[in-house]
Amino acid sequence: MSTATSAVPRLVTPQFVVLGAAGLAYFLADGILVPAVPRYVAGQLTGGNIAVGLVVAAFSLSALVLRPWAGRLVDRRGRSIAMVGGGIIFAGSVAAYGVTDSIGALAALRLLTGVGDAFFFVGAVTAMSDLAPPERRGEAISLFSLSLYAGLAVGPPIGEVLISTAGFTTVWVVAAASAGVGVLLALRVGETRAPTSDEASAEAVRLIPRAAVVPALLLLALVWGMAGFLAFVPLYALDLGLPNAGFLLGGFAGIVVLIRSVGARIPDRLGAGRSVRISLLCATIALLVMGGWRTVPGLVSGTVLLGVGVALGTPAIMMLALQRAPAAEHGAVMGTVSMSIDLAAGLGPASFGLVAAASGRGTGFLAAALLAGAGLALATVIAPRKP
């Protein structure tokens, strides 16, 4: 009779739950701003399409540039200071939106909001990796990502309701207050960096750690196609004779949420390397099917496959990045890898649009499949037999 059982280390601790709640409050604030900012620029500030694009993009620009610096701060000074400081900057800048009377002033505040986002996000995701046992990191990343999905799903409808019933000033106050709740919860989480962390090693960490480069490229290859899909599937669905793409977008999100919740342990069980390869294979086939089989069944099948690929891929790629880096580099690694999301969110739709303008929307999906396939080839080359 064997009493030596392989006990599974505990993941869902009170500290982990509070961290998830902090993320939810923060991402809810982010979601509330999604419909409000463009409507405020076009309505209250009488800006045109270019002004809307610039103000919305300013947030992503500063967040993208500062994520590596946020990672360095997280490694040198701790996770808590990044979450709390970032959340305060985010909340304070959003609260000031209501006193702006020009597009330039609002764009400057949006840059500041992006600064807050860079520090809060990198601090939170690194804290999450600290709290997760190594063998359950994939599950931890999957569960933590649900706070982002929930905030970005619930936030925009709340923003729309507030705009129509209470006005933009109330929107900014509510969003800032929600981010403030995230700050208070982050204070409750406290510092998660191990007290034995090597301060000297943290000081020597590169701004872009070598261990983060390949995972960042893999995530870029995965998210690039997803970003193009989200931007153009509403139009592509009309091309194929569908009345709208609502059920496709809802189904895609539902698949991601289902796998990230019920199937949260799949990346841990399969292993990071295998999960990444499966993810990029699914994404490549999905985009090929959507672009090559230009029918409603082809679009539906591709959407399902892409949902599976995205659901597995992001946790697995972050697992891979953390496995390749020492603990003193975890913040810098997360900062670098998360840059790929910002890059893909901007460049994916832009490149898709250029290809679609020249050769049609179906060809846009095929072009995105090439990048996903390149990511699959890279993942196969770097770890052809390792899990």
Side-chain angles (χ1 to χ4, degrees):
M1 185 176 68
S2 174
T3 58
T5 60
S6 54
V8 179
R10 187 181 179 191
L11 170 63
V12 183
T13 62
Q15 195 176 18
F16 186 86
V17 171
V18 174
L19 178 61
L24 177 59
Y26 172 81
F27 293 123
L28 179 64
D30 214 354
I32 289 171
L33 298 178
V34 168
V37 170
R39 287 185 59 177
Y40 186 70
V41 174
Q44 304 297 107
L45 300 181
T46 64
N49 290 329
I50 293 176
V52 170
L54 288 174
V55 171
V56 171
F59 169 89
S60 297
L61 177 63
S62 56
L64 167 67
V65 171
L66 285 172
R67 288 200 197 280
W69 300 98
R72 175 170 284 189
L73 174 74
V74 162
D75 286 327
R76 290 179 173 180
R77 301 290 179 255
R79 290 52 161 148
S80 183
I81 189 173
M83 285 191 289
V84 172
I88 290 172
I89 293 170
F90 184 102
S93 62
V94 170
Y97 287 3
V99 299
T100 57
D101 57 2
S102 70
I103 290 169
L106 183 59
L109 286 172
R110 289 287 290 169
L111 287 170
L112 196 56
T113 306
V115 172
D117 180 79
F119 285 92
F120 184 93
F121 181 87
V122 174
V125 76
T126 309
M128 174 275 306
S129 72
D130 294 337
L131 297 176
E135 58 268 51
R136 298 188 71 175
R137 270 195 190 128
E139 182 182 6
I141 296 167
S142 295
L143 294 176
F144 183 76
S145 72
L146 293 177
S147 65
L148 185 153
Y149 274 86
L152 295 181
V154 176
I158 292 175
E160 294 281 8
V161 170
L162 290 173
I163 292 168
S164 60
T165 60
F168 286 102
T169 299
T170 303
V171 172
W172 313 139
V173 170
V174 171
S178 185
V181 171
V183 169
L184 294 176
L185 290 169
L187 287 169
R188 288 292 302 270
V189 172
E191 183 52 61
T192 61
R193 185 176 60 160
T196 56
S197 291
D198 188 344
E199 293 279 345
S201 297
E203 291 291 333
V205 171
R206 298 182 180 190
L207 187 62
I208 306 292
R210 194 168 297 167
V213 173
V214 169
L217 291 174
L218 295 175
L219 189 59
L220 183 68
L222 176 67
V223 179
W224 191 290
M226 182 197 76
F229 166 82
L230 293 175
F232 282 91
V233 75
L235 300 174
Y236 193 51
L238 296 178
D239 293 343
L240 299 182
L242 290 170
N244 59 67
F247 80 98
L248 292 167
L249 293 169
F252 173 82
I255 290 168
V256 174
V257 170
L258 181 66
I259 292 176
R260 297 270 181 93
S261 54
V262 177
R265 296 209 66 192
I266 292 175
D268 292 313
R269 289 171 175 163
L270 292 178
R274 187 176 294 119
S275 296
V276 170
R277 294 192 293 273
I278 292 172
S279 161
L280 286 164
L281 177 62
C282 287
T284 303
I285 295 173
L287 294 164
L288 286 172
V289 167
M290 284 188 271
W293 185 15
R294 301 181 185 186
T295 63
V296 172
L299 182 56
V300 172
S301 302
T303 298
V304 171
L305 270 176
L306 186 62
V308 172
V310 170
L312 288 177
T314 303
I317 290 168
M318 288 188 172
M319 283 172 62
L320 187 67
L322 292 168
Q323 287 175 1
R324 294 162 62 92
E329 291 185 357
H330 280 184
V333 165
M334 288 294 96
T336 300
V337 172
S338 63
M339 286 175 65
S340 295
I341 300 173
D342 298 306
L343 276 173
L347 297 180
S351 63
F352 194 112
L354 290 173
V355 174
S359 304
R361 294 186 182 111
T363 309
F365 286 105
L366 295 178
L370 290 176
L371 190 60
L376 175 61
L378 178 60
T380 303
V381 167
I382 61 164
R385 295 181 183 176
K386 293 179 182 179

